[in-house]
Amino acid sequence: MELIRDNWTKNDYDDFVEELRSYADEKYRSFHSSLIPDNDKDFFIGVRMPVMRKLGKEISKGNGRSFLEQTTDNSYEEKTMRGIVIGLLKTESYEEFLMYCDDFVQRIDSWAVCDGFCANLKQTKKYKSEFFPHVCEYTKSDNPWIIRAGLVLMLDYYLEDEYIDTVLECCDNAKNPHYYVSMARAWLVATALAKCREQTMRYIKSNSLDNATFNKMIRKCVESFRIDDETKKYLKTLKRY
């Protein structure tokens, strides 16, 4: 079907979902759904991400806003496509960009939807300084998925000298016990060590991470190809018991 449209109707969107289903791969559906235990297997159609991105790029060449008005969250692929199109949308103002971000983060219900949305949200670079305080607010949410979105956005776009101290402070304060918040905190610190070594090493030596998250962070550092062997050896001595 034609995806570059000036206007999307409900019938157009229903036809699009049928097209999505035509790309379904049952083996991939079984494999991918097993990696995302937050959703039932029936929530997945089984469309591979390169196909999703290709379709999203076509949609974004037309009226992406009209497409977003018709989208539903009836499947993982539909929710992910919403995030892809938002990421490709050339917003006319920071306020419009923020509106779409705030709406989407409320819909996140898995690590995959979260991380894919954050990675594709390239317009963050356009609104970097304005958006940063709002990203910090995400990490203070009561919703663990919104917290994770804030942490992953920081990981993807804010591991720089200008932001790193505040990033690490937000990470330290994000004490929600949810497993995927803990994993995001560990991942964030490990990546920060590779990019902002001096500030992050100070943080590692003095932080309030719980023991489980701290040890996950050390494990991720040890597994990283971007951290030298001597540092890895030192970090192993810090493991908590």
Side-chain angles (χ1 to χ4, degrees):
M1 68 176 289
E2 178 59 52
L3 298 180
I4 304 175
R5 294 175 175 270
D6 292 328
N7 183 59
W8 283 80
T9 66
K10 182 180 183 302
N11 286 338
D12 293 333
Y13 182 74
D14 290 343
D15 289 343
F16 168 71
V17 174
E18 286 304 307
E19 177 159 348
L20 266 184
R21 294 187 181 281
S22 73
Y23 293 109
D25 180 327
E26 182 57 34
K27 288 185 178 179
Y28 178 71
R29 176 174 174 262
S30 295
F31 169 72
H32 195 213
S33 62
S34 71
L35 299 177
I36 310 172
D38 313 287
N39 300 123
D40 187 88
K41 183 178 177 180
D42 290 340
F43 187 60
F44 297 83
I45 297 173
V47 184
R48 293 178 181 271
M49 189 53 68
V51 175
M52 295 282 288
R53 291 196 185 101
K54 181 179 179 182
L55 296 175
K57 286 179 180 178
E58 286 296 296
I59 292 167
S60 69
K61 292 176 183 177
N63 191 341
R65 292 171 178 81
S66 178
F67 174 82
L68 291 169
E69 289 173 1
Q70 301 299 332
T71 52
T72 68
D73 295 333
N74 294 333
S75 68
Y76 168 82
E77 283 76 5
E78 290 173 77
K79 185 175 290 192
T80 298
M81 186 60 68
R82 183 197 296 269
I84 289 171
V85 173
I86 290 172
L88 293 169
L89 198 65
K90 290 182 172 61
T91 50
E92 296 177 352
S93 67
Y94 172 64
E95 288 70 26
E96 184 185 26
F97 168 79
L98 188 60
M99 175 190 73
Y100 282 117
C101 290
D102 282 348
D103 177 73
F104 191 84
V105 297
Q106 296 286 343
R107 301 170 185 271
I108 295 172
D109 60 357
S110 73
W111 67 264
V113 168
C114 174
D115 298 3
F117 171 69
C118 294
N120 287 315
L121 196 64
K122 302 303 183 184
Q123 278 209 94
T124 297
K125 298 174 183 177
K126 180 179 178 181
Y127 303 112
K128 200 163 186 173
S129 60
E130 302 101 308
F131 193 35
F132 184 61
H134 203 74
V135 174
C136 292
E137 289 301 310
Y138 286 160
T139 68
K140 300 174 185 177
S141 174
D142 293 328
N143 181 327
W145 296 117
I146 295 178
I147 297 172
R148 183 177 173 98
L151 295 171
V152 176
L153 284 166
M154 288 177 172
L155 187 156
D156 284 339
Y157 303 104
Y158 292 101
L159 296 185
E160 301 172 353
D161 287 344
E162 180 179 353
Y163 302 102
I164 188 61
D165 289 337
T166 304
V167 165
L168 293 172
E169 180 181 358
C170 289
C171 181
D172 203 59
N173 291 332
K175 293 181 169 60
N176 190 294
H178 193 278
Y179 174 77
Y180 286 108
V181 171
S182 177
M183 290 298 292
R185 295 170 82 195
W187 180 26
L188 173 59
V189 177
T191 308
L193 182 60
K195 292 190 172 185
C196 303
R197 177 185 170 82
E198 182 179 344
Q199 302 95 320
T200 308
M201 188 59 78
R202 284 200 303 268
Y203 171 73
I204 288 173
K205 292 176 180 178
S206 178
N207 63 81
S208 62
L209 295 174
D210 61 274
N211 289 352
T213 301
F214 186 81
N215 289 340
K216 286 173 190 171
M217 177 271 295
I218 290 177
R219 188 179 74 231
K220 287 185 175 295
C221 289
V222 171
E223 292 171 351
S224 174
F225 293 111
R226 295 183 290 177
I227 297 173
D228 64 89
D229 290 342
E230 191 64 29
T231 300
K232 292 178 181 180
K233 183 178 179 180
Y234 169 70
L235 291 173
K236 288 177 183 179
T237 69
L238 301 180
K239 186 175 180 180
R240 298 174 183 171
Y241 297 93

